[in-house]
Amino acid sequence: MRLRMRWWKVLGLAGLAGVAATGVVIARAERRRRAYTPEEIRERLRARHAEANSHGD
């Protein structure tokens, strides 16, 4: 019985670590996304639009 409780604790801690790691990854991506200036975003969108149109021909 005691061994079974340990496994549940280990699984619970692993789950918590996974949730925390996912949160860190999402926070980093959000920080990176927000680091662009509006002009940089416009330039990137225009470049992607031009590239998409050139592949469509």
Side-chain angles (χ1 to χ4, degrees):
M1 187 66 140
R2 206 165 159 93
L3 183 61
R4 184 176 294 177
M5 284 180 60
R6 286 185 193 158
W7 278 107
W8 283 111
K9 286 180 184 178
V10 169
L11 286 175
L13 288 174
L16 276 173
V19 169
T22 302
V24 168
V25 169
I26 290 171
R28 280 186 187 163
E30 183 67 17
R31 219 176 298 126
R32 201 174 300 135
R33 186 184 68 79
R34 289 184 181 201
Y36 294 120
T37 65
E39 189 55 40
E40 287 174 323
I41 293 171
R42 281 187 210 99
E43 288 173 15
R44 294 181 87 181
L45 286 172
R46 287 179 184 132
R48 285 172 50 186
H49 180 72
E51 184 180 332
N53 284 339
S54 69
H55 287 295
D57 292 337

